[in-house]
Amino acid sequence: MTSELQNLQASIGAIFADSKTGEAIPISFNNDVEAITATKQGVAIYDRSHWGLLKISGADRLRFLHNQSTNSIQSFKPGEGCDTVLVTSTARTIDLATALITEDAILLLVSPNRRQQLMQWLDRYIFPMDQVELQDITHDYAVFSLLGPDSPQVINKFGIIDLQQQPYGSHQLVEIAGSSLRIAVGSGLNTVGYTLIIPASVAVSVWQVLSQAGAVPLGETVWQHLRVLAGRPAPDQELTEDYNPLEAGLWQTLSFDKGCYIGQETITRLNTYKGVKQKLWGIRLKASVVAGTPILIDDVKVGKLTSYTNSDGEHFGLGYIRTKAGGVGSKVKVGEVEAEVVDVPFLTHPPL
C-alpha cells in the first residue's frame, strides 16, 4: 500500500521527506497556498497514515484505557469517541490521542513519534488477570483526514449523511468506492472535517475518489502550519514531561469525577487548589523567531515559545506563559521580537 499510495501522490506533485520516525511522508504537493485556502473555503485531504493506530481489544478494554488516560472512557458506547491524554504518574503529558469505541475494540489514533513509546507504556499496565490485548495495526490501515467547510458535501456524494449532525468522535462503518472503511467526525484540528480509517489494500482507490470529489491534497508542512494556528499541542513541543494537560489547555479531555487513573491525584489537586502555574497560548509576533526562545515581560522571563510558523508575512507561535504573568491581550517579547498573547481555538483555559 505504502509504495502504491506514494507513487500516486508523487504523480500529482508530492515532495517526500523522512518524518521523525524515519518514514517517508509527503511534506508538500507544491500547492501549499491552495491547500490552506481549501481548508477555509473548500476541502483538503491530509494523509495521516504515518500516525500510530493502536487496537485495544478484550473484555476489559474500556476499563483498561479508562484507567490509563484522562477521559471517562467507560462512559462511551460503540460508535462514539473522544480525545484523551495519556500521562505519567505525575500527570506529565505523553500524548494527545483520539479513541474510537467499536463493538469489539478501541481504536487509538496517536501521534507518529509516540507510537512505539505508547505500545511499551500501555503494555506495562496489562496484568496477567486482565482480559486485554494490545496491537499496533498502523501498517494495516491508511488514515486520511478531510478538512474544510465542504467536507460534508464530499461525504454526501457517497451517501453518508448520518454523521453530519453527530458530535465529535462519532463514527461508523461506511462504503466508499466499493470499499468498507470507518469514518469519524473530526479533522484533528478545529476545522469542520472527518477522519477515515481505511484498509491498506484500498487506500489508493479511496484517495482517488476523494480527490475526484474535490479534496485538495495537503502536505505535512501545511498541517504543521495549521496545527500551530489552531493551537493543537504536539509531542516534543507542547506535550512533554515539563507540562500537564491543564497547562496545555486540554480541559476537554479531562474527567474530574471518573475515579482513579494514572496521574489522577496530581490533576485533581491542581484543579482543586487552582495550581496551574503556566498556560499554553497563541503568540502573534511581529517578526520570525525560533522555537525555544524565551518569552519576556519587562525583560523578565515568563515563559518559552514552543512552536513557530509563518505565512504571507504573518508570524505566529505557541508558548507557555506563567499564569500570574498574564494571558490574552498581554504584550510580551519573544527574544527581541514584540508580540501579543492571543486565544487559539483548539485550547480551553477556564478562569481560575
Side-chain angles (χ1 to χ4, degrees), residues 117-251:
Q117 179 183 351
L118 285 173
M119 280 293 292
Q120 295 170 356
W121 175 266
L122 292 170
D123 188 62
R124 286 171 53 189
Y125 294 98
I126 299 176
F127 299 105
M129 296 298 292
D130 291 333
Q131 296 184 51
V132 174
E133 183 180 355
L134 179 64
Q135 296 173 272
D136 183 349
I137 59 172
T138 303
H139 295 303
D140 297 329
Y141 291 87
V143 180
F144 303 153
S145 281
L146 297 173
L147 305 87
D150 288 351
S151 298
Q153 288 91 311
V154 168
I155 68 167
N156 258 355
K157 294 179 180 180
F158 304 103
I160 306 167
I161 58 175
D162 296 346
L163 284 175
Q164 294 190 20
Q165 303 302 320
Q166 297 301 309
Y168 177 85
S170 300
H171 57 97
Q172 63 186 45
L173 287 173
V174 300
E175 188 171 291
I176 293 180
S179 304
S180 179
L181 55 91
R182 188 171 300 276
I183 182 169
V185 177
S187 65
L189 298 177
N190 61 300
T191 59
V192 174
Y194 303 91
T195 295
L196 295 78
I197 299 175
I198 306 148
S201 60
V202 296
V204 169
S205 60
V206 173
W207 178 278
Q208 288 175 318
V209 297
L210 292 173
S211 298
Q212 292 164 1
V216 176
L218 178 154
E220 185 68 18
T221 299
V222 171
W223 169 267
Q224 291 298 330
H225 172 70
L226 297 173
R227 176 192 74 77
V228 176
L229 293 180
R232 178 179 175 125
D236 298 330
Q237 292 167 275
E238 293 77 33
L239 303 179
T240 75
E241 293 202 3
D242 293 326
Y243 311 112
N244 61 62
L246 295 88
E247 294 170 335
L250 298 174
W251 290 72

Side-chain angles (χ1 to χ4, degrees), residues 233-280:
D236 298 330
Q237 292 167 275
E238 293 77 33
L239 303 179
T240 75
E241 293 202 3
D242 293 326
Y243 311 112
N244 61 62
L246 295 88
E247 294 170 335
L250 298 174
W251 290 72
Q252 76 277 15
T253 71
L254 303 173
S255 172
F256 294 104
D257 56 7
K258 63 179 275 189
C260 185
Y261 63 94
I262 292 178
Q264 179 261 344
E265 184 177 342
T266 300
I267 288 175
T268 299
R269 185 170 63 249
L270 288 169
N271 182 52
T272 300
Y273 297 104
K274 313 301 181 187
V276 178
K277 296 181 179 179
Q278 56 193 340
K279 295 180 180 179
L280 182 62

